[in-house]
Every structure is written in structure tokens, then in C-alpha cells.
Coordinates of all heavy atoms in Angstrom, one line a residue:
M1 N 281.0 -136.6 74.6 CA 280.7 -135.2 75.1 C 279.1 -135.3 75.4 O 278.3 -135.9 74.8 CB 280.9 -134.2 74.1 CG 282.3 -133.6 74.2 SD 282.5 -132.2 73.1 CE 284.2 -132.7 72.4
A2 N 278.8 -134.3 76.3 CA 277.5 -134.1 76.7 C 277.0 -132.9 76.1 O 277.7 -131.9 75.9 CB 277.3 -134.2 78.2
T3 N 275.7 -132.7 75.7 CA 275.1 -131.5 75.3 C 274.3 -130.9 76.4 O 273.6 -131.6 77.2 CB 274.1 -131.8 74.1 OG1 274.8 -132.4 73.1 CG2 273.5 -130.6 73.6
I4 N 274.6 -129.6 76.6 CA 273.9 -128.9 77.8 C 273.3 -127.6 77.2 O 273.5 -127.2 76.1 CB 274.9 -128.6 78.9 CG1 276.1 -127.5 78.4 CG2 275.5 -129.8 79.5 CD1 276.8 -126.9 79.4
Q5 N 272.5 -127.0 78.1 CA 271.9 -125.8 77.7 C 272.3 -124.7 78.8 O 272.3 -125.0 80.0 CB 270.4 -125.9 77.8 CG 269.6 -124.8 77.3 CD 268.1 -125.0 77.3 OE1 267.6 -126.1 77.7 NE2 267.3 -124.1 76.6
V6 N 272.8 -123.7 78.2 CA 273.2 -122.6 79.0 C 272.5 -121.2 78.7 O 272.4 -120.9 77.5 CB 274.8 -122.3 78.9 CG1 275.2 -121.2 79.7 CG2 275.5 -123.7 79.3
V7 N 272.2 -120.6 79.7 CA 271.5 -119.2 79.5 C 272.4 -118.1 79.6 O 273.2 -118.0 80.5 CB 270.3 -119.0 80.4 CG1 269.7 -117.7 80.3 CG2 269.3 -120.2 80.4
L8 N 272.7 -117.3 78.6 CA 273.6 -116.2 78.5 C 272.9 -114.9 78.2 O 271.9 -114.9 77.5 CB 274.7 -116.4 77.4 CG 275.5 -117.7 77.5 CD1 276.4 -117.8 76.3 CD2 276.5 -117.6 78.9
E9 N 273.5 -113.8 78.7 CA 272.8 -112.5 78.4 C 273.2 -112.3 76.8 O 274.2 -112.7 76.4 CB 273.6 -111.4 79.1 CG 273.3 -111.4 80.7 CD 274.3 -112.3 81.4 OE1 275.3 -112.8 80.7 OE2 274.3 -112.4 82.6
E10 N 272.3 -111.6 76.2 CA 272.4 -111.3 74.8 C 273.7 -110.8 74.3 O 274.4 -111.2 73.5 CB 271.2 -110.5 74.3 CG 271.1 -110.5 72.8 CD 270.7 -111.7 72.1 OE1 270.1 -112.6 72.8 OE2 271.1 -112.0 71.1
E11 N 274.1 -109.7 75.1 CA 275.5 -109.1 74.9 C 276.7 -110.0 75.0 O 277.6 -110.0 74.3 CB 275.7 -107.8 75.6 CG 276.8 -106.9 75.2 CD 276.5 -106.5 73.8 OE1 275.4 -106.2 73.3 OE2 277.5 -106.3 73.0
L12 N 276.6 -110.8 76.0 CA 277.7 -111.9 76.2 C 277.7 -112.8 75.1 O 278.8 -113.2 74.6 CB 277.5 -112.6 77.6 CG 278.5 -113.6 78.0 CD1 279.9 -112.9 78.1 CD2 278.2 -114.3 79.3
L13 N 276.6 -113.3 74.6 CA 276.5 -114.3 73.5 C 277.1 -113.6 72.2 O 277.9 -114.2 71.5 CB 275.1 -114.7 73.3 CG 274.9 -115.6 72.2 CD1 275.7 -117.0 72.4 CD2 273.4 -115.9 72.1
K14 N 276.8 -112.3 72.0 CA 277.2 -111.6 70.8 C 278.8 -111.5 70.9 O 279.5 -111.8 69.9 CB 276.6 -110.3 70.7 CG 275.1 -110.3 70.3 CD 274.6 -108.9 70.2 CE 273.1 -108.9 69.9 NZ 272.5 -107.6 69.9
T15 N 279.3 -111.1 72.0 CA 280.7 -111.0 72.1 C 281.4 -112.4 72.0 O 282.4 -112.4 71.3 CB 281.0 -110.4 73.6 OG1 280.3 -109.2 73.7 CG2 282.6 -110.1 73.9
A16 N 280.8 -113.4 72.7 CA 281.4 -114.7 72.5 C 281.5 -115.1 70.9 O 282.4 -115.7 70.5 CB 280.6 -115.8 73.3
D17 N 280.4 -114.9 70.3 CA 280.3 -115.3 68.8 C 281.4 -114.5 68.1 O 282.0 -115.0 67.1 CB 278.9 -115.0 68.3 CG 278.0 -116.1 68.9 OD1 278.4 -117.2 69.2 OD2 276.7 -115.9 68.7
R18 N 281.5 -113.2 68.3 CA 282.5 -112.4 67.6 C 283.9 -113.0 67.9 O 284.7 -113.1 66.9 CB 282.5 -111.0 68.0 CG 281.4 -110.1 67.3 CD 281.7 -108.6 67.5 NE 281.8 -108.2 69.0 CZ 280.7 -107.9 69.7 NH1 279.5 -107.9 69.3 NH2 280.9 -107.6 71.0
V19 N 284.2 -113.3 69.2 CA 285.6 -113.8 69.4 C 285.8 -115.2 68.9 O 286.8 -115.4 68.3 CB 285.8 -113.9 71.0 CG1 286.9 -114.6 71.4 CG2 285.8 -112.5 71.6
A20 N 284.7 -116.0 69.0 CA 284.8 -117.3 68.3 C 285.1 -117.2 66.8 O 286.0 -118.0 66.3 CB 283.5 -118.1 68.5
R21 N 284.4 -116.4 66.2 CA 284.7 -116.2 64.6 C 286.2 -115.7 64.4 O 286.8 -116.1 63.6 CB 283.8 -115.1 64.0 CG 282.4 -115.7 63.7 CD 281.6 -114.8 62.7 NE 281.4 -113.5 63.4 CZ 280.4 -113.2 64.3 NH1 279.6 -114.2 64.6 NH2 280.3 -112.0 64.9
R22 N 286.6 -114.7 65.3 CA 288.0 -114.3 65.1 C 289.0 -115.4 65.4 O 290.1 -115.3 64.7 CB 288.2 -113.0 66.2 CG 289.5 -112.3 65.8 CD 289.7 -111.1 66.7 NE 290.0 -111.6 68.1 CZ 289.4 -111.1 69.3 NH1 288.6 -110.1 69.1 NH2 289.8 -111.5 70.4
L23 N 288.8 -116.2 66.3 CA 289.7 -117.3 66.6 C 289.5 -118.5 65.7 O 290.2 -119.5 66.0 CB 289.6 -117.7 68.1 CG 290.0 -116.5 69.1 CD1 289.7 -117.1 70.4 CD2 291.4 -116.2 68.9
N24 N 288.5 -118.5 64.9 CA 288.2 -119.5 64.0 C 287.7 -120.8 64.8 O 288.2 -121.9 64.5 CB 289.4 -120.0 63.1 CG 288.9 -120.7 61.8 OD1 287.7 -120.6 61.4 ND2 289.8 -121.5 61.4
L25 N 287.0 -120.5 65.8 CA 286.4 -121.7 66.6 C 284.9 -121.5 66.5 O 284.3 -120.6 66.2 CB 286.8 -121.4 68.0 CG 288.3 -121.5 68.4 CD1 288.4 -121.0 69.9 CD2 288.8 -122.9 68.3
N26 N 284.3 -122.7 66.8 CA 282.8 -122.7 67.0 C 282.5 -122.2 68.4 O 283.2 -122.2 69.3 CB 282.0 -123.9 66.6 CG 282.4 -125.1 67.5 OD1 282.6 -124.9 68.7 ND2 282.6 -126.3 66.9
R27 N 281.3 -121.8 68.7 CA 280.8 -121.3 70.0 C 281.1 -122.4 71.1 O 281.6 -122.0 72.2 CB 279.3 -121.1 70.0 CG 278.9 -120.3 71.2 CD 277.3 -120.3 71.1 NE 276.9 -119.3 70.2 CZ 275.7 -119.3 69.8 NH1 274.7 -120.1 70.2 NH2 275.3 -118.3 68.9
S28 N 280.8 -123.6 70.9 CA 281.0 -124.7 71.9 C 282.5 -124.7 72.3 O 282.9 -124.9 73.5 CB 280.5 -126.0 71.4 OG 279.1 -126.0 71.4
A29 N 283.4 -124.7 71.3 CA 284.8 -124.9 71.5 C 285.3 -123.7 72.3 O 286.1 -123.8 73.3 CB 285.7 -124.9 70.2
L30 N 284.8 -122.5 72.0 CA 285.3 -121.2 72.7 C 284.9 -121.4 74.2 O 285.6 -121.1 75.1 CB 284.6 -119.9 72.2 CG 284.9 -118.7 72.9 CD1 286.4 -118.3 72.6 CD2 283.8 -117.7 72.4
I31 N 283.6 -121.8 74.4 CA 283.1 -121.9 75.9 C 283.8 -123.0 76.5 O 284.1 -122.9 77.7 CB 281.5 -122.1 75.7 CG1 280.8 -120.9 75.3 CG2 281.1 -122.6 77.2 CD1 279.4 -121.1 75.0
R32 N 284.2 -124.2 75.9 CA 284.8 -125.3 76.6 C 286.3 -124.7 77.1 O 286.7 -124.9 78.1 CB 285.0 -126.4 75.7 CG 283.9 -127.4 75.6 CD 284.2 -128.7 74.9 NE 284.7 -128.5 73.6 CZ 284.1 -128.4 72.4 NH1 282.7 -128.5 72.5 NH2 284.6 -128.3 71.2
N33 N 286.9 -124.0 76.0 CA 288.2 -123.5 76.3 C 288.2 -122.6 77.5 O 289.1 -122.5 78.4 CB 288.9 -122.8 75.1 CG 289.2 -123.8 74.1 OD1 289.3 -125.1 74.2 ND2 289.5 -123.3 72.8
A34 N 287.2 -121.6 77.4 CA 287.1 -120.6 78.6 C 286.8 -121.2 79.9 O 287.4 -120.8 80.9 CB 286.0 -119.6 78.2
L35 N 286.0 -122.2 79.9 CA 285.7 -123.0 81.2 C 286.9 -123.7 81.7 O 287.1 -123.7 82.9 CB 284.4 -124.0 80.9 CG 284.1 -124.6 82.2 CD1 283.6 -123.7 83.3 CD2 282.8 -125.5 81.8
R36 N 287.6 -124.4 80.8 CA 288.8 -125.0 81.2 C 289.9 -124.0 81.9 O 290.4 -124.3 82.9 CB 289.6 -125.7 80.0 CG 288.9 -127.1 79.6 CD 289.8 -127.7 78.6 NE 289.1 -128.7 77.9 CZ 288.5 -128.7 76.7 NH1 288.8 -127.6 75.9 NH2 287.7 -129.6 76.1
E37 N 290.1 -122.9 81.2 CA 291.0 -121.9 81.7 C 290.5 -121.3 83.0 O 291.3 -121.1 83.9 CB 291.1 -120.8 80.7 CG 291.9 -121.1 79.5 CD 293.4 -121.5 79.9 OE1 294.0 -120.8 80.8 OE2 293.9 -122.6 79.3
H38 N 289.2 -121.1 83.2 CA 288.7 -120.6 84.4 C 288.9 -121.6 85.5 O 289.3 -121.3 86.6 CB 287.2 -120.3 84.3 CG 286.5 -119.6 85.5 ND1 287.0 -118.5 86.0 CD2 285.7 -120.2 86.4 CE1 286.2 -118.2 87.1 NE2 285.5 -119.2 87.4
L39 N 288.6 -122.9 85.3 CA 288.7 -123.9 86.4 C 290.2 -124.1 86.7 O 290.5 -124.3 87.9 CB 288.1 -125.2 85.8 CG 286.6 -125.3 85.7 CD1 286.1 -126.6 85.0 CD2 286.0 -125.0 86.9
K40 N 291.1 -124.0 85.8 CA 292.6 -124.0 86.0 C 292.8 -123.0 86.9 O 293.7 -123.1 87.9 CB 293.3 -124.0 84.6 CG 294.8 -124.1 84.8 CD 295.4 -124.0 83.4 CE 296.8 -123.9 83.5 NZ 297.5 -123.8 82.1
R41 N 292.5 -121.7 86.6 CA 292.7 -120.5 87.4 C 292.3 -120.7 88.9 O 292.8 -120.4 89.8 CB 292.1 -119.3 86.8 CG 292.4 -118.0 87.5 CD 291.9 -116.8 86.8 NE 292.1 -115.5 87.5 CZ 291.2 -115.0 88.4 NH1 290.1 -115.6 88.6 NH2 291.5 -114.0 89.1
L42 N 291.0 -121.3 89.0 CA 290.4 -121.5 90.4 C 291.3 -122.5 91.1 O 291.5 -122.3 92.3 CB 289.1 -121.9 90.2 CG 288.0 -121.0 89.8 CD1 286.6 -121.6 89.7 CD2 287.9 -119.9 90.8
R43 N 291.8 -123.5 90.5 CA 292.6 -124.4 91.1 C 293.9 -123.9 91.6 O 294.5 -124.0 92.7 CB 293.0 -125.7 90.2 CG 291.9 -126.7 90.1 CD 292.3 -128.0 89.3 NE 292.9 -127.7 88.1 CZ 292.3 -127.8 86.9 NH1 290.9 -127.9 86.9 NH2 292.8 -127.4 85.7
T44 N 294.5 -123.0 90.7 CA 295.8 -122.3 91.1 C 295.5 -121.4 92.3 O 296.3 -121.4 93.2 CB 296.4 -121.5 89.9 OG1 296.5 -122.4 88.8 CG2 297.5 -120.7 90.3
L45 N 294.4 -120.6 92.3 CA 294.1 -119.7 93.4 C 293.9 -120.6 94.7 O 294.3 -120.2 95.7 CB 292.7 -118.9 93.0 CG 293.0 -117.8 92.1 CD1 291.6 -117.2 91.6 CD2 294.0 -116.8 92.5
E46 N 293.3 -121.8 94.6 CA 293.1 -122.5 95.8 C 294.4 -123.1 96.3 O 294.6 -123.1 97.5 CB 292.0 -123.8 95.5 CG 291.9 -124.7 96.6 CD 291.2 -123.9 97.9 OE1 290.7 -122.9 97.8 OE2 291.1 -124.6 98.9
K47 N 295.3 -123.5 95.5 CA 296.6 -124.0 95.9 C 297.4 -122.9 96.5 O 298.0 -123.0 97.5 CB 297.4 -124.5 94.7 CG 296.9 -125.8 94.2 CD 297.6 -126.2 93.0 CE 297.1 -127.5 92.5 NZ 297.9 -128.0 91.3
E48 N 297.2 -121.6 96.0 CA 298.0 -120.4 96.6 C 297.4 -120.2 98.0 O 298.0 -119.8 98.9 CB 297.7 -119.3 95.7 CG 298.7 -119.4 94.4 CD 298.4 -118.2 93.5 OE1 297.4 -117.4 93.6 OE2 299.2 -118.1 92.4
R49 N 296.1 -120.2 98.1 CA 295.4 -120.0 99.4 C 295.9 -121.1 100.4 O 296.2 -120.6 101.6 CB 293.9 -120.1 99.2 CG 293.1 -119.7 100.5 CD 291.7 -120.0 100.5 NE 291.4 -121.5 100.4 CZ 291.4 -122.2 101.4 NH1 291.7 -121.7 102.6 NH2 291.1 -123.5 101.3
L50 N 296.0 -122.3 100.0 CA 296.5 -123.4 100.9 C 297.9 -123.1 101.3 O 298.2 -123.3 102.5 CB 296.1 -124.7 100.3 CG 294.7 -125.1 100.2 CD1 294.6 -126.4 99.4 CD2 294.0 -125.3 101.6
D51 N 298.6 -122.7 100.4 CA 300.1 -122.5 100.6 C 300.3 -121.3 101.6 O 301.0 -121.4 102.7 CB 300.9 -122.1 99.4 CG 301.3 -123.3 98.6 OD1 301.2 -124.5 99.1 OD2 301.8 -123.1 97.5
R52 N 299.5 -120.2 101.4 CA 299.5 -119.0 102.2 C 299.1 -119.4 103.6 O 299.7 -119.0 104.7 CB 298.6 -118.0 101.7 CG 298.9 -116.6 102.1 CD 298.2 -115.5 101.3 NE 296.9 -115.9 100.7 CZ 296.8 -116.1 99.4 NH1 297.8 -116.1 98.6 NH2 295.5 -116.5 98.9
Q53 N 298.0 -120.3 103.8 CA 297.4 -120.6 105.0 C 298.5 -121.5 105.8 O 298.6 -121.4 107.0 CB 296.1 -121.4 104.8 CG 295.4 -121.8 106.0 CD 294.1 -122.5 105.7 OE1 294.0 -123.2 104.5 NE2 293.3 -122.7 106.6
G54 N 299.2 -122.4 105.0 CA 300.3 -123.2 105.6 C 301.4 -122.5 106.2 O 301.9 -122.6 107.3
Y55 N 301.8 -121.4 105.4 CA 302.9 -120.7 105.9 C 302.6 -119.7 107.0 O 303.4 -119.4 107.9 CB 303.6 -119.9 104.8 CG 304.5 -120.7 103.9 CD1 304.1 -121.1 102.5 CD2 305.8 -121.0 104.3 CE1 304.9 -121.8 101.8 CE2 306.5 -121.8 103.5 CZ 306.2 -122.2 102.3 OH 307.1 -123.0 101.6
E56 N 301.3 -119.3 107.1 CA 300.8 -118.5 108.2 C 300.9 -119.3 109.4 O 301.2 -118.9 110.5 CB 299.5 -117.9 107.9 CG 299.6 -116.7 106.9 CD 298.2 -116.3 106.4 OE1 297.2 -116.8 106.9 OE2 298.2 -115.3 105.7
K57 N 300.4 -120.7 109.3 CA 300.3 -121.4 110.5 C 301.6 -121.9 111.0 O 301.9 -122.1 112.1 CB 299.4 -122.6 110.1 CG 298.8 -123.4 111.3 CD 297.8 -124.5 110.8 CE 297.3 -125.2 112.0 NZ 296.2 -126.1 111.7
F58 N 302.6 -122.3 110.0 CA 303.8 -122.9 110.2 C 304.8 -122.1 109.5 O 305.3 -122.5 108.4 CB 303.9 -124.3 109.8 CG 302.9 -125.2 110.6 CD1 301.7 -125.6 109.8 CD2 303.0 -125.5 111.9 CE1 300.9 -126.5 110.4 CE2 302.1 -126.3 112.5 CZ 301.0 -126.8 111.7
P59 N 305.2 -120.9 109.9 CA 306.2 -120.1 109.3 C 307.6 -120.9 109.1 O 308.0 -121.7 110.0 CB 306.4 -118.9 110.2 CG 305.3 -118.8 111.0 CD 304.9 -120.3 111.2
D60 N 308.2 -120.6 108.1 CA 309.5 -121.3 107.6 C 310.6 -120.8 108.5 O 311.0 -119.6 108.1 CB 309.7 -121.2 106.1 CG 310.8 -122.2 105.7 OD1 311.6 -122.7 106.6 OD2 310.9 -122.5 104.6
A61 N 311.1 -121.4 109.5 CA 312.2 -120.8 110.3 C 313.4 -120.7 109.6 O 314.3 -119.7 109.9 CB 312.5 -121.8 111.5
E62 N 313.7 -121.3 108.4 CA 314.8 -121.1 107.6 C 315.0 -119.8 107.2 O 316.2 -119.1 107.1 CB 314.9 -122.0 106.5 CG 316.0 -121.9 105.5 CD 315.9 -122.8 104.2 OE1 315.0 -123.6 104.2 OE2 316.6 -122.6 103.3
F63 N 313.9 -119.0 106.9 CA 314.0 -117.7 106.4 C 313.9 -116.7 107.5 O 314.0 -115.4 107.2 CB 313.0 -117.4 105.3 CG 313.2 -118.4 104.1 CD1 312.4 -119.3 103.9 CD2 314.2 -118.0 103.3 CE1 312.6 -120.2 102.8 CE2 314.5 -118.8 102.2 CZ 313.6 -119.9 101.9
A64 N 313.6 -117.0 108.7 CA 313.5 -116.0 109.9 C 314.7 -115.3 110.1 O 314.8 -114.1 110.6 CB 313.1 -116.8 111.1
V65 N 315.9 -115.9 109.8 CA 317.2 -115.1 110.1 C 317.3 -113.9 109.2 O 318.0 -113.0 109.5 CB 318.4 -116.1 109.8 CG1 318.5 -117.2 110.7 CG2 318.4 -116.5 108.3
W66 N 316.6 -113.8 108.1 CA 316.6 -112.6 107.2 C 315.6 -111.6 107.6 O 315.6 -110.5 107.1 CB 316.1 -113.0 105.8 CG 317.2 -114.0 105.2 CD1 317.2 -115.4 105.1 CD2 318.5 -113.6 104.7 NE1 318.3 -115.8 104.4 CE2 319.2 -114.7 104.3 CE3 319.2 -112.3 104.6 CZ2 320.5 -114.7 103.7 CZ3 320.4 -112.3 104.0 CH2 321.1 -113.5 103.6
D67 N 314.8 -111.8 108.6 CA 313.7 -110.8 109.0 C 314.4 -109.5 109.5 O 314.0 -108.4 109.1 CB 312.9 -111.4 110.1 CG 311.9 -112.4 109.7 OD1 311.7 -112.3 108.4 OD2 311.3 -113.1 110.5
G68 N 315.5 -109.6 110.3 CA 316.2 -108.5 110.8 C 316.9 -107.6 109.8 O 317.0 -106.5 109.7
V69 N 317.4 -108.4 108.8 CA 318.2 -107.8 107.8 C 317.3 -107.1 106.8 O 317.6 -106.1 106.2 CB 319.0 -109.0 107.0 CG1 319.8 -108.4 105.9 CG2 320.0 -109.5 108.0
A70 N 316.1 -107.7 106.5 CA 315.3 -107.2 105.5 C 314.4 -106.1 106.0 O 313.7 -105.3 105.3 CB 314.3 -108.4 104.9
A71 N 314.3 -105.9 107.3 CA 313.5 -104.9 108.0 C 314.1 -103.5 107.7 O 315.4 -103.4 107.7 CB 313.2 -105.2 109.4
W72 N 313.3 -102.5 107.5 CA 313.7 -101.1 107.4 C 314.2 -100.7 108.8 O 313.6 -101.0 109.8 CB 312.6 -100.2 107.0 CG 312.2 -100.4 105.6 CD1 311.1 -101.1 105.0 CD2 312.9 -99.9 104.4 NE1 311.1 -101.1 103.7 CE2 312.2 -100.4 103.3 CE3 314.1 -99.1 104.2 CZ2 312.6 -99.9 102.0 CZ3 314.4 -98.8 103.0 CH2 313.7 -99.2 101.9
P73 N 315.3 -99.9 108.8 CA 315.7 -99.5 110.1 C 314.9 -98.5 110.8 O 314.3 -97.7 110.1 CB 317.2 -98.8 109.8 CG 317.1 -98.6 108.3 CD 316.1 -99.5 107.7
E74 N 314.9 -98.5 112.1 CA 314.1 -97.5 112.9 C 314.8 -96.2 112.7 O 316.0 -96.1 112.7 CB 314.1 -97.9 114.3 CG 313.4 -99.3 114.6 CD 312.0 -99.1 114.7 OE1 311.5 -98.1 115.1 OE2 311.2 -100.2 114.5
E75 N 314.1 -95.1 112.5 CA 314.7 -93.7 112.4 C 314.6 -93.0 113.7 O 313.9 -93.2 114.5 CB 314.0 -93.0 111.4 CG 314.3 -93.5 110.0 CD 313.8 -92.6 108.9 OE1 314.1 -91.4 108.8 OE2 313.2 -93.1 107.9

């Protein structure tokens, strides 16, 4: 493991320390866990963005037959 220095706002640090105590973790473990979860969320968001982009570029023709059925009727 590497040791790094991170600058945090005082209130954020206090909150992190309270949560770490409540979870019975040290500050470093709390920050590592939070960073892992955040990076995982970013990867998921990026995959969703790429999926959305792909379906916009190449719509799935298999589901096109449902477009007329799923659409609200004109009044």
C-alpha cells in the first residue's frame, strides 16, 4: 500500500471520523472503501452511457414490432 496525503474540509473530516467510528473502521479503511465504491459507480455509469449510445446508434430491430403496440393511441 502507498501512503498519500489528502486535503479535506474540516467538516468532511469530522463526519468521516464519526462514520468510521460507528462502522468500527479506521479513517484510511473508510476512505479506501468509499473510493472503491465511487470508482465502481463511475464504471457502471460509463457502461450504461456506452450501452445507451450503442442502442441510439443501432436500435434493436427485434423490439421495433412493439413500438405500435406500446404507443398511446391518438385521440
